[in-house]
Amino acid sequence: MGSAVTVEELETRWTGEYKLFLPGTIGAININTANQETLESLPGVGKKLAKEIITYREKNGLFHGTEEMINVPGIGIKKLNAMKEYIIAE
């Protein structure tokens, strides 16, 4: 059998490996430059919606502000509010 591991050791290992997934540690994503995979990391955004964001950006140019995301098909107020703290438009 292996040696015993303390809760503190597990906590340290877990936070080190998964730090980016802990609340409040994700950096802001620039919706004007983010690729498909990066957009999919936003709350409530899957492959289809990430593609819609990119398509909107290609057709209409860069986003002038994060609130403009409401114009993307599939993004409503609730979804925008869920991702608003994680996005910027620069």
Side-chain angles (χ1 to χ4, degrees):
M1 283 201 190
S3 60
V5 179
T6 66
V7 171
E8 290 81 17
E9 289 171 324
L10 285 175
E11 206 170 68
T12 300
R13 187 183 322 160
W14 191 86
T15 56
E17 293 174 8
Y18 301 100
K19 185 175 182 182
L20 292 176
F21 300 103
L22 295 174
T25 60
I26 188 172
I29 293 173
N30 186 346
I31 56 176
N32 285 322
T33 59
N35 63 19
Q36 171 105 16
E37 185 179 28
T38 303
L39 290 169
E40 288 175 21
S41 70
L42 291 168
V45 178
K47 289 183 184 216
K48 183 179 178 187
L49 191 51
K51 190 170 275 190
E52 289 287 344
I53 294 168
I54 292 170
T55 300
Y56 179 89
R57 190 172 66 197
E58 289 170 348
K59 287 182 180 177
N60 300 288
L62 299 179
F63 291 96
H64 295 97
T66 57
E67 61 282 343
E68 193 178 337
M69 288 276 282
I70 199 79
N71 297 325
V72 175
I75 298 181
I77 294 289
K78 188 175 179 180
K79 194 164 286 205
L80 177 61
N81 285 337
M83 69 174 81
K84 199 161 188 161
E85 69 181 283
Y86 304 108
I87 60 175
I88 56 172
E90 293 182 337

